[in-house]
Amino acid sequence: MNGLLSGALAGAAGTAALNAVTYADMALRGRSGSQVPEQVVEKTTERAGVSLGEDETAENRRQALGALLGFGVGIGVGVAYGLIRSRGRTLPDALALGAAASVASEGPAVALGLTDPRTWGAAGWISDVVPHLAYGIVTAATYRGLRANR
């Protein structure tokens, strides 16, 4: 299995872990999910002049596209990791992957002025760092497992 495919599969596994940790946190603390991915979709489509429809239809599309952005980031970071690793480069796996996924997911929201990490507080940072660390750990472990079986 090549580095690209191994990275994509590893990124998908990491994304599943990130989602599981996030939903467990939401269940334990009784908190709602973040609206930021939907807001990123809304701002981006507005700037591009793309209509998502009216009322409930537009809201449903924003929600779906926001979730798909998360999958795209997770798999995309995994692909990049797979390509880098398949060329013999080493990285501080779990931490680098978690940080890359966090920057890739939060970066557009920060650039669009939808969030400011400087204002998050401890609970906000924990809600972001822990799932991204889970992503990094699972993505790195899955990649190593897939490559060991080639």
Side-chain angles (χ1 to χ4, degrees):
M1 185 176 305
N2 68 30
L4 187 138
L5 182 56
S6 296
L9 292 171
T15 301
L18 181 144
N19 286 336
V21 170
T22 299
Y23 286 122
D25 176 49
M26 290 166 58
L28 287 171
R29 295 195 302 153
R31 70 173 180 87
S32 65
S34 174
Q35 303 302 310
V36 172
E38 294 168 41
Q39 294 169 348
V40 168
V41 170
E42 183 174 29
K43 284 263 192 181
T44 304
T45 55
E46 282 175 4
R47 288 183 178 191
V50 174
S51 172
L52 296 179
E54 298 295 323
D55 304 323
E56 189 176 341
T57 299
E59 183 179 326
N60 292 339
R61 286 184 177 139
R62 278 191 299 275
Q63 186 176 29
L65 290 169
L68 288 171
L69 281 174
F71 285 105
V73 165
I75 294 169
V77 169
V79 165
Y81 176 74
L83 292 173
I84 291 167
R85 288 298 305 261
S86 68
R87 286 168 174 62
R89 307 270 190 313
T90 59
L91 297 170
D93 296 341
L95 292 176
L97 283 164
S102 183
V103 168
S105 64
E106 300 298 338
V110 171
L112 290 168
L114 299 171
T115 189
D116 183 352
R118 297 174 294 184
T119 66
W120 288 357
W125 274 101
I126 290 168
S127 294
D128 189 70
V129 170
V130 172
H132 284 100
L133 183 57
Y135 169 87
I137 291 167
V138 170
T139 300
T142 302
Y143 182 84
R144 283 192 302 271
L146 290 169
R147 297 301 282 180
N149 292 327
R150 54 184 180 128

